[in-house]
Amino acid sequence: MKNILLLGSGGRECALAWKISQSPLCGTFFIAPGNAGTSEYGINLPIGVNDFAALKRACLEYKIDILFPGPEDPLVAGIYDYFKNDATLKHIIIVGPSKEGAQLEGSKAFSKKFMARHNIPTAAYQEFTAESFERGVAYIKRSEPPYVIKADGLAAGKGVVIAQNSIDAVKAFRAMVMNQQFGDASKTVVIEQFLDGIELSVFAFTDGEHYILLPEAKDYKRIGEGDTGLNTGGMGAISPVPIADDEFMKKVNERIVVPTINGLKAEKIIYQGFIFFGLIKVKGEPYVIEYNCRLGDPETEVVLPRLENDLVELIIKMEECKLNEVKAEFSNKTAATVMLVSEGYPGDYEKGRVMTGFEHVKGSYLFHAGTRESPKSKVKNLNSDEAEIVTNGGRVLAITSLGDDLKQALLKSYENAEMIKYEGKYCRKDIGWEFL
Ligand code: AMP
Ligand code: GLY
């Protein structure tokens, strides 16, 4: 039995908590900080994901065997190295790469150079800083629109601008490198070729030597129906993705996944954990848009319900470098998740709205994202127990269903989306629309 500490508080972590807690190998299970959903599967600890000192204390106190960072922040900040360099913590299995490996997500310039070294297909690009600002402007002027301008570092999902004309492109570029719009994260900027195609997410789980591929997924990033409006963390997801046929996935494996894992190994970059390949299919060919050093959200909410293996067993195999002994097994059902969000998101929104209707949901998984349990006293005028759960974020609840086909899965999720009530509830009604 392994005592496990999972870090994070989103829908991804709720789905992970659901999956991990089913394992017979799971001992005492904690989530830091978690949400109202994760507390059904384990014990929430009020510790932030970047508070390494407090996480250390918790790991020692609760005799943690496995630490699983859900989001990228602690990985990019070097939680792996922090644990491995501490004699009292180094025995703990970390599901995620070293600080250097996390640079695949933490630095666009690093990942672009890595792909160039290993001939991994991606958009043509150049990188610039304040010193090379004029050259950057000249590069924009001699390129064709649309222009893709990316802050090098983590920018909470806001670091990519797609500009339709060179004036807007230069403006975005200037804001990033000259006015440090994202602080240090935009000291370096990548300007790259625009790729026109269909995006999808592919996940590998690697022990540094071998890997298994998880089912692919597609997320719906824009707030508005028909993929319009502002980018969000993700408004829904489906898995499998109809455009990911065998021929395409063979190319993904041969040209992208294998060279990435071999490249990490050849460069002696320590990497045991998930690699998220943000891909785009252009005229049948796969290109990498981005790497992430973790699972996706909301992709996890459709991938894990299809994974039939014991996740804790996979983690132990990862640590032993024996993932070659494992056969990944997936349900051939289709999974669809619909994200309920707070009115106003991804801009400003209210928190603390009382949520009801959970008991009417039938046949779907509810993966909580921005929710928390509110002390009863605050809601004592409401006469039912379920009034204890209140909204606590922009993305509130992922409703996942499995079906024999996409239509069935979506119908079930939308039916149950109706059951959940809170003021200012919004969801996109067109998840999976282009494949129906
Ligand atoms: P990233 O943070 O790199 O994933 O970029 C965020 C989003 O911007 C992606 O999901 C794409 O929709 C879009 N994007 C990024 N790079 C490109 C590109 N080279 N061509 C077209 N769209 C892109
Ligand atoms: N759904 C995209 C991400 O997790 O980055």
Side-chain angles (χ1 to χ4, degrees), residues 368-403:
H368 290 232
T371 68
R372 71 181 169 83
E373 284 167 291
S374 175
K376 258 196 178 144
S377 57
K378 285 222 179 113
V379 291
K380 65 174 178 268
N381 294 335
L382 292 149
N383 48 17
S384 80
D385 273 356
E386 82 232 19
E388 288 175 71
I389 294 179
V390 300
T391 64
N392 193 39
R395 290 193 294 171
V396 173
L397 191 69
I399 304 181
T400 299
S401 313
L402 290 170

mmCIF file of all heavy atoms in Angstrom, residues 368-403:
data_model
loop_
_atom_site.group_PDB
_atom_site.id
_atom_site.type_symbol
_atom_site.label_atom_id
_atom_site.label_comp_id
_atom_site.label_asym_id
_atom_site.label_seq_id
_atom_site.Cartn_x
_atom_site.Cartn_y
_atom_site.Cartn_z
ATOM 1 N N HIS A 368 -15.452 17.715 -9.826
ATOM 2 C CA HIS A 368 -15.487 19.102 -9.361
ATOM 3 C C HIS A 368 -14.231 19.848 -9.780
ATOM 4 O O HIS A 368 -13.135 19.294 -9.736
ATOM 5 C CB HIS A 368 -15.576 19.140 -7.834
ATOM 6 C CG HIS A 368 -16.898 18.688 -7.292
ATOM 7 N ND1 HIS A 368 -17.625 19.436 -6.412
ATOM 8 C CD2 HIS A 368 -17.624 17.574 -7.516
ATOM 9 C CE1 HIS A 368 -18.742 18.790 -6.105
ATOM 10 N NE2 HIS A 368 -18.761 17.652 -6.762
ATOM 11 N N ALA A 369 -14.398 21.114 -10.143
ATOM 12 C CA ALA A 369 -13.244 21.974 -10.430
ATOM 13 C C ALA A 369 -13.264 23.095 -9.392
ATOM 14 O O ALA A 369 -12.812 22.897 -8.272
ATOM 15 C CB ALA A 369 -13.310 22.475 -11.865
ATOM 16 N N GLY A 370 -13.866 24.254 -9.727
ATOM 17 C CA GLY A 370 -13.922 25.351 -8.766
ATOM 18 C C GLY A 370 -15.117 25.205 -7.849
ATOM 19 O O GLY A 370 -16.137 25.881 -8.030
ATOM 20 N N THR A 371 -14.995 24.338 -6.850
ATOM 21 C CA THR A 371 -16.056 24.205 -5.836
ATOM 22 C C THR A 371 -15.393 24.131 -4.477
ATOM 23 O O THR A 371 -14.227 23.766 -4.369
ATOM 24 C CB THR A 371 -16.880 22.903 -5.993
ATOM 25 O OG1 THR A 371 -16.040 21.785 -5.680
ATOM 26 C CG2 THR A 371 -17.440 22.745 -7.397
ATOM 27 N N ARG A 372 -16.146 24.466 -3.455
ATOM 28 C CA ARG A 372 -15.655 24.203 -2.101
ATOM 29 C C ARG A 372 -16.843 23.952 -1.188
ATOM 30 O O ARG A 372 -17.985 24.307 -1.522
ATOM 31 C CB ARG A 372 -14.796 25.343 -1.571
ATOM 32 C CG ARG A 372 -15.547 26.590 -1.255
ATOM 33 C CD ARG A 372 -14.607 27.697 -0.759
ATOM 34 N NE ARG A 372 -15.367 28.932 -0.731
ATOM 35 C CZ ARG A 372 -16.164 29.299 0.273
ATOM 36 N NH1 ARG A 372 -16.284 28.538 1.351
ATOM 37 N NH2 ARG A 372 -16.845 30.435 0.218
ATOM 38 N N GLU A 373 -16.543 23.319 -0.070
ATOM 39 C CA GLU A 373 -17.584 23.091 0.916
ATOM 40 C C GLU A 373 -17.669 24.327 1.786
ATOM 41 O O GLU A 373 -16.660 24.812 2.274
ATOM 42 C CB GLU A 373 -17.262 21.842 1.738
ATOM 43 C CG GLU A 373 -17.562 20.599 0.937
ATOM 44 C CD GLU A 373 -16.978 19.352 1.560
ATOM 45 O OE1 GLU A 373 -15.745 19.216 1.561
ATOM 46 O OE2 GLU A 373 -17.761 18.533 2.044
ATOM 47 N N SER A 374 -18.890 24.837 1.905
ATOM 48 C CA SER A 374 -19.082 26.048 2.681
ATOM 49 C C SER A 374 -19.574 25.647 4.063
ATOM 50 O O SER A 374 -20.405 24.753 4.180
ATOM 51 C CB SER A 374 -20.128 26.896 1.971
ATOM 52 O OG SER A 374 -20.426 28.018 2.743
ATOM 53 N N PRO A 375 -19.068 26.284 5.108
ATOM 54 C CA PRO A 375 -19.566 25.935 6.454
ATOM 55 C C PRO A 375 -21.084 26.053 6.471
ATOM 56 O O PRO A 375 -21.633 27.012 5.924
ATOM 57 C CB PRO A 375 -18.921 26.988 7.345
ATOM 58 C CG PRO A 375 -17.777 27.525 6.564
ATOM 59 C CD PRO A 375 -18.117 27.379 5.124
ATOM 60 N N LYS A 376 -21.720 25.102 7.108
ATOM 61 C CA LYS A 376 -23.179 25.052 7.107
ATOM 62 C C LYS A 376 -23.816 26.341 7.608
ATOM 63 O O LYS A 376 -24.830 26.772 7.092
ATOM 64 C CB LYS A 376 -23.667 23.883 7.955
ATOM 65 C CG LYS A 376 -24.102 22.707 7.116
ATOM 66 C CD LYS A 376 -24.919 21.729 7.928
ATOM 67 C CE LYS A 376 -25.367 20.606 7.016
ATOM 68 N NZ LYS A 376 -25.384 19.319 7.685
ATOM 69 N N SER A 377 -23.167 26.954 8.600
ATOM 70 C CA SER A 377 -23.735 28.152 9.214
ATOM 71 C C SER A 377 -24.043 29.230 8.159
ATOM 72 O O SER A 377 -25.040 29.926 8.252
ATOM 73 C CB SER A 377 -22.767 28.712 10.236
ATOM 74 O OG SER A 377 -21.530 28.992 9.610
ATOM 75 N N LYS A 378 -23.184 29.308 7.158
ATOM 76 C CA LYS A 378 -23.361 30.342 6.146
ATOM 77 C C LYS A 378 -24.617 30.122 5.317
ATOM 78 O O LYS A 378 -25.136 31.025 4.697
ATOM 79 C CB LYS A 378 -22.151 30.342 5.210
ATOM 80 C CG LYS A 378 -20.925 30.958 5.815
ATOM 81 C CD LYS A 378 -20.214 31.837 4.794
ATOM 82 C CE LYS A 378 -18.996 32.478 5.380
ATOM 83 N NZ LYS A 378 -17.778 31.975 4.770
ATOM 84 N N VAL A 379 -25.033 28.879 5.216
ATOM 85 C CA VAL A 379 -26.165 28.586 4.335
ATOM 86 C C VAL A 379 -27.333 27.998 5.129
ATOM 87 O O VAL A 379 -28.135 27.273 4.608
ATOM 88 C CB VAL A 379 -25.750 27.626 3.197
ATOM 89 C CG1 VAL A 379 -24.815 28.312 2.252
ATOM 90 C CG2 VAL A 379 -25.122 26.355 3.725
ATOM 91 N N LYS A 380 -27.421 28.380 6.399
ATOM 92 C CA LYS A 380 -28.408 27.695 7.235
ATOM 93 C C LYS A 380 -29.857 28.007 6.853
ATOM 94 O O LYS A 380 -30.748 27.265 7.207
ATOM 95 C CB LYS A 380 -28.159 27.959 8.718
ATOM 96 C CG LYS A 380 -28.321 29.375 9.171
ATOM 97 C CD LYS A 380 -28.189 29.432 10.691
ATOM 98 C CE LYS A 380 -28.283 30.839 11.200
ATOM 99 N NZ LYS A 380 -27.008 31.516 11.325
ATOM 100 N N ASN A 381 -30.041 29.068 6.065
ATOM 101 C CA ASN A 381 -31.417 29.354 5.647
ATOM 102 C C ASN A 381 -31.885 28.420 4.540
ATOM 103 O O ASN A 381 -33.047 28.387 4.191
ATOM 104 C CB ASN A 381 -31.542 30.794 5.161
ATOM 105 C CG ASN A 381 -31.294 31.739 6.324
ATOM 106 O OD1 ASN A 381 -31.505 31.356 7.473
ATOM 107 N ND2 ASN A 381 -30.834 32.938 6.019
ATOM 108 N N LEU A 382 -30.974 27.685 3.979
ATOM 109 C CA LEU A 382 -31.361 26.740 2.934
ATOM 110 C C LEU A 382 -31.634 25.417 3.608
ATOM 111 O O LEU A 382 -30.917 25.011 4.508
ATOM 112 C CB LEU A 382 -30.240 26.623 1.910
ATOM 113 C CG LEU A 382 -30.105 27.921 1.136
ATOM 114 C CD1 LEU A 382 -28.683 28.141 0.730
ATOM 115 C CD2 LEU A 382 -31.005 27.897 -0.073
ATOM 116 N N ASN A 383 -32.667 24.759 3.136
ATOM 117 C CA ASN A 383 -33.119 23.633 3.939
ATOM 118 C C ASN A 383 -32.617 22.275 3.468
ATOM 119 O O ASN A 383 -33.054 21.257 3.945
ATOM 120 C CB ASN A 383 -34.648 23.626 4.010
ATOM 121 C CG ASN A 383 -35.235 23.793 2.632
ATOM 122 O OD1 ASN A 383 -34.537 23.590 1.651
ATOM 123 N ND2 ASN A 383 -36.495 24.171 2.555
ATOM 124 N N SER A 384 -31.690 22.239 2.522
ATOM 125 C CA SER A 384 -31.222 20.908 2.157
ATOM 126 C C SER A 384 -29.714 20.790 2.338
ATOM 127 O O SER A 384 -28.988 21.763 2.317
ATOM 128 C CB SER A 384 -31.618 20.574 0.722
ATOM 129 O OG SER A 384 -30.728 21.193 -0.152
ATOM 130 N N ASP A 385 -29.289 19.553 2.508
ATOM 131 C CA ASP A 385 -27.887 19.263 2.793
ATOM 132 C C ASP A 385 -26.955 19.675 1.671
ATOM 133 O O ASP A 385 -25.845 20.102 1.914
ATOM 134 C CB ASP A 385 -27.717 17.751 3.002
ATOM 135 C CG ASP A 385 -27.979 17.389 4.443
ATOM 136 O OD1 ASP A 385 -28.199 18.328 5.226
ATOM 137 O OD2 ASP A 385 -27.964 16.191 4.745
ATOM 138 N N GLU A 386 -27.431 19.520 0.445
ATOM 139 C CA GLU A 386 -26.524 19.721 -0.677
ATOM 140 C C GLU A 386 -26.141 21.191 -0.827
ATOM 141 O O GLU A 386 -25.221 21.518 -1.549
ATOM 142 C CB GLU A 386 -27.140 19.184 -1.968
ATOM 143 C CG GLU A 386 -28.097 20.120 -2.630
ATOM 144 C CD GLU A 386 -29.421 19.425 -2.909
ATOM 145 O OE1 GLU A 386 -29.711 18.391 -2.295
ATOM 146 O OE2 GLU A 386 -30.140 19.923 -3.762
ATOM 147 N N ALA A 387 -26.814 22.064 -0.134
ATOM 148 C CA ALA A 387 -26.495 23.492 -0.200
ATOM 149 C C ALA A 387 -25.124 23.795 0.361
ATOM 150 O O ALA A 387 -24.680 24.921 0.317
ATOM 151 C CB ALA A 387 -27.561 24.287 0.542
ATOM 152 N N GLU A 388 -24.440 22.777 0.859
ATOM 153 C CA GLU A 388 -23.111 23.027 1.412
ATOM 154 C C GLU A 388 -22.040 23.273 0.364
ATOM 155 O O GLU A 388 -20.964 23.713 0.700
ATOM 156 C CB GLU A 388 -22.661 21.831 2.241
ATOM 157 C CG GLU A 388 -23.389 21.708 3.541
ATOM 158 C CD GLU A 388 -22.969 20.435 4.222
ATOM 159 O OE1 GLU A 388 -21.837 20.371 4.694
ATOM 160 O OE2 GLU A 388 -23.786 19.503 4.233
ATOM 161 N N ILE A 389 -22.339 22.919 -0.894
ATOM 162 C CA ILE A 389 -21.293 23.103 -1.904
ATOM 163 C C ILE A 389 -21.529 24.429 -2.641
ATOM 164 O O ILE A 389 -22.633 24.707 -3.096
ATOM 165 C CB ILE A 389 -21.263 21.910 -2.868
ATOM 166 C CG1 ILE A 389 -20.826 20.664 -2.085
ATOM 167 C CG2 ILE A 389 -20.301 22.164 -4.028
ATOM 168 C CD1 ILE A 389 -20.779 19.395 -2.884
ATOM 169 N N VAL A 390 -20.467 25.239 -2.724
ATOM 170 C CA VAL A 390 -20.584 26.535 -3.402
ATOM 171 C C VAL A 390 -19.510 26.643 -4.481
ATOM 172 O O VAL A 390 -18.485 25.957 -4.438
ATOM 173 C CB VAL A 390 -20.452 27.724 -2.409
ATOM 174 C CG1 VAL A 390 -21.535 27.665 -1.338
ATOM 175 C CG2 VAL A 390 -19.070 27.774 -1.780
ATOM 176 N N THR A 391 -19.771 27.533 -5.451
ATOM 177 C CA THR A 391 -18.790 27.734 -6.522
ATOM 178 C C THR A 391 -17.569 28.450 -5.945
ATOM 179 O O THR A 391 -17.682 29.259 -5.025
ATOM 180 C CB THR A 391 -19.380 28.567 -7.679
ATOM 181 O OG1 THR A 391 -19.689 29.881 -7.187
ATOM 182 C CG2 THR A 391 -20.639 27.920 -8.235
ATOM 183 N N ASN A 392 -16.416 28.137 -6.533
ATOM 184 C CA ASN A 392 -15.178 28.706 -6.007
ATOM 185 C C ASN A 392 -14.168 28.973 -7.119
ATOM 186 O O ASN A 392 -12.968 29.025 -6.872
ATOM 187 C CB ASN A 392 -14.585 27.746 -4.960
ATOM 188 C CG ASN A 392 -13.497 28.381 -4.141
ATOM 189 O OD1 ASN A 392 -13.601 29.553 -3.775
ATOM 190 N ND2 ASN A 392 -12.438 27.639 -3.877
ATOM 191 N N GLY A 393 -14.676 29.095 -8.368
ATOM 192 C CA GLY A 393 -13.737 29.330 -9.460
ATOM 193 C C GLY A 393 -14.487 29.601 -10.748
ATOM 194 O O GLY A 393 -15.730 29.611 -10.772
ATOM 195 N N GLY A 394 -13.734 29.811 -11.816
ATOM 196 C CA GLY A 394 -14.338 30.061 -13.123
ATOM 197 C C GLY A 394 -14.893 28.785 -13.710
ATOM 198 O O GLY A 394 -16.057 28.690 -14.084
ATOM 199 N N ARG A 395 -14.048 27.768 -13.760
ATOM 200 C CA ARG A 395 -14.536 26.458 -14.176
ATOM 201 C C ARG A 395 -15.010 25.742 -12.926
ATOM 202 O O ARG A 395 -14.261 25.601 -11.960
ATOM 203 C CB ARG A 395 -13.425 25.678 -14.880
ATOM 204 C CG ARG A 395 -13.115 26.288 -16.248
ATOM 205 C CD ARG A 395 -12.258 25.381 -17.095
ATOM 206 N NE ARG A 395 -10.922 25.184 -16.557
ATOM 207 C CZ ARG A 395 -10.051 24.303 -17.038
ATOM 208 N NH1 ARG A 395 -10.388 23.528 -18.051
ATOM 209 N NH2 ARG A 395 -8.853 24.191 -16.505
ATOM 210 N N VAL A 396 -16.241 25.293 -12.927
ATOM 211 C CA VAL A 396 -16.876 24.838 -11.698
ATOM 212 C C VAL A 396 -16.992 23.318 -11.620
ATOM 213 O O VAL A 396 -16.627 22.710 -10.617
ATOM 214 C CB VAL A 396 -18.269 25.500 -11.550
ATOM 215 C CG1 VAL A 396 -19.030 24.926 -10.367
ATOM 216 C CG2 VAL A 396 -18.122 27.015 -11.387
ATOM 217 N N LEU A 397 -17.494 22.703 -12.684
ATOM 218 C CA LEU A 397 -17.816 21.277 -12.600
ATOM 219 C C LEU A 397 -17.715 20.661 -13.986
ATOM 220 O O LEU A 397 -18.283 21.191 -14.950
ATOM 221 C CB LEU A 397 -19.261 21.152 -12.088
ATOM 222 C CG LEU A 397 -19.780 19.797 -11.676
ATOM 223 C CD1 LEU A 397 -19.092 19.326 -10.393
ATOM 224 C CD2 LEU A 397 -21.288 19.869 -11.426
ATOM 225 N N ALA A 398 -16.996 19.541 -14.088
ATOM 226 C CA ALA A 398 -16.927 18.798 -15.350
ATOM 227 C C ALA A 398 -17.882 17.612 -15.251
ATOM 228 O O ALA A 398 -17.809 16.843 -14.296
ATOM 229 C CB ALA A 398 -15.507 18.310 -15.598
ATOM 230 N N ILE A 399 -18.776 17.506 -16.234
ATOM 231 C CA ILE A 399 -19.744 16.411 -16.235
ATOM 232 C C ILE A 399 -19.356 15.456 -17.361
ATOM 233 O O ILE A 399 -19.463 15.800 -18.536
ATOM 234 C CB ILE A 399 -21.167 16.955 -16.436
ATOM 235 C CG1 ILE A 399 -21.464 17.994 -15.349
ATOM 236 C CG2 ILE A 399 -22.177 15.818 -16.438
ATOM 237 C CD1 ILE A 399 -22.836 18.597 -15.426
ATOM 238 N N THR A 400 -18.881 14.282 -16.971
ATOM 239 C CA THR A 400 -18.369 13.325 -17.958
ATOM 240 C C THR A 400 -19.321 12.148 -18.099
ATOM 241 O O THR A 400 -19.786 11.606 -17.092
ATOM 242 C CB THR A 400 -16.997 12.770 -17.522
ATOM 243 O OG1 THR A 400 -16.068 13.842 -17.430
ATOM 244 C CG2 THR A 400 -16.478 11.730 -18.520
ATOM 245 N N SER A 401 -19.568 11.744 -19.355
ATOM 246 C CA SER A 401 -20.369 10.545 -19.586
ATOM 247 C C SER A 401 -19.666 9.663 -20.589
ATOM 248 O O SER A 401 -18.960 10.140 -21.473
ATOM 249 C CB SER A 401 -21.743 10.917 -20.147
ATOM 250 O OG SER A 401 -22.293 11.965 -19.386
ATOM 251 N N LEU A 402 -19.891 8.366 -20.441
ATOM 252 C CA LEU A 402 -19.416 7.397 -21.425
ATOM 253 C C LEU A 402 -20.622 6.942 -22.229
ATOM 254 O O LEU A 402 -21.709 6.755 -21.677
ATOM 255 C CB LEU A 402 -18.796 6.187 -20.721
ATOM 256 C CG LEU A 402 -17.460 6.413 -20.010
ATOM 257 C CD1 LEU A 402 -17.090 5.196 -19.165
ATOM 258 C CD2 LEU A 402 -16.354 6.709 -21.012
ATOM 259 N N GLY A 403 -20.430 6.774 -23.528
ATOM 260 C CA GLY A 403 -21.533 6.306 -24.370
ATOM 261 C C GLY A 403 -21.014 5.388 -25.447
ATOM 262 O O GLY A 403 -19.804 5.309 -25.678
#
